[in-house]
Amino acid sequence: MTELVVIIFSAALVNNFVLVQFLGLCPFLGATCKLEGALGMGLATGLVLTLASAFSYLVERFVLIPLDVTYLRLVSFIVVIGAAVQFTELVLSRAFPLLHKVLGIYIPLIASNCAVLGVALLNSNASRSLAAAIFYGAGAALGFGIVLVLLSSLRERLEGEDVPAPFRGSAITLVTAGILSLAFFGFNGFSRL
Amino acid sequence: MVTGTVVLSSLAIALAIGLVLCSRYMAQSEDSVVDEVERILPRIQCAQCGYPGCRPYAAAIVAESAPLNLCPPGGEDTVRRLARFLGRDAAHLASPAAVAGVAAVPASLDDIAVIDEDLCIGCNLCVRACPVDAIVGVHQMMHTVITDHCTGCALCLPPCPVDCISLTPRHA
């Protein structure tokens, strides 16, 4: 149990996918203009991350290893992730049609979010158990969501500020993201997972 | 090599079948957004937006084929709430003349229709025009308005041949 908590904490904060490992930067900058959109994106990506890490584990453990075709790992993970994204889009359009409309193109783009593939591959490299793999995915999702919400809140605040002319727009966003990343390196060394 | 091809193909086909089953099971619905939009609208079915009622207008808003500012009874407040709910830009309310040209008098939830009972000839035309059945009266007899049901949509004004109906503030 403690191990699972440590995995979540480690994936969410210490080895945060966006700010420490620099994975999934596209939605990090693209979907954080508004807090609501960022929350929705965090939730959708979270669902995909958790689903994809579970399914990738199952596919590797029960299909690839028994049939001795582990060289197909990368490409089959991509297939699994595509299916997970499609499934999330279905759920979203059914349960939160408005959120589905707001997020629009960003939902299919989750499929190309390298954090999702990253989690699946890291799980497989570290040969985690099913529970550990799911918790790692959930932790990564939590960290991703936290970071998205943080940056979007900061960006909403910055909108009203008198930013010096050369720093306006993308520049101040990137500076903010960099400072956030520095802040997250403060967690460095808390956990070795 | 052959194993790899078979494994990958069957994996993809299995996932595709699963997804198709899921999408069959969970049919996509725009209806719940239309429900929410309709709930924001006044739902007095006055048709001043040019659509037959609030539900068709809500459907047109969701389908992005109608602007948000066609609802005079809802006023600026409804436009703002729609804009906020749908994440679109709020425009000012279109003036009643610009809207489909139904009633010259803009409808307002604060008004109710009042029938001048001395002038009413009992023609029954306004009863048929009323979208919420707030006017009672039989042929050749004086009609009257049930104030609790009247929504002030002004649809009964044009059909009246003797112009005996007027809109007055509800709380005057």
Side-chain angles (χ1 to χ4, degrees), chain B residues 115-128:
Chain B
I115 296 179
D116 187 338
E117 296 170 352
D118 294 333
L119 292 177
C120 178
I121 55 170
C123 68
N124 214 244
L125 289 176
C126 56
V127 176
R128 275 175 250 165

Side-chain angles (χ1 to χ4, degrees), chain A residues 33-59:
Chain A
C33 295
K34 279 192 176 161
L35 182 57
E36 288 140 26
L39 264 176
M41 191 64 192
L43 283 177
T45 314
L47 190 55
V48 173
L49 271 169
T50 318
L51 270 180
S53 45
F55 272 110
S56 311
Y57 174 85
L58 293 176
V59 165

Side-chain angles (χ1 to χ4, degrees), chain B residues 29-88:
Chain B
S29 75
E30 293 261 275
D31 284 4
S32 46
V33 190
V34 178
D35 280 345
E36 290 293 320
V37 169
E38 192 189 8
R39 208 166 292 156
I40 295 174
L41 292 170
R43 279 162 293 159
I44 64 173
Q45 320 300 347
C46 71
Q48 296 198 17
C49 49
Y51 291 86
C54 295
R55 180 83 189 177
Y57 180 43
I61 290 178
V62 173
E64 303 196 19
S65 62
L68 303 178
N69 58 350
L70 297 183
C71 184
E76 299 280 354
D77 188 45
T78 298
V79 181
R80 270 196 298 274
R81 283 170 62 197
L82 283 172
R84 185 134 136 232
F85 177 68
L86 294 164
R88 298 187 202 160

Side-chain angles (χ1 to χ4, degrees), chain B residues 89-103:
Chain B
D89 291 333
H92 280 294
L93 194 62
S95 65
V99 182
V102 182

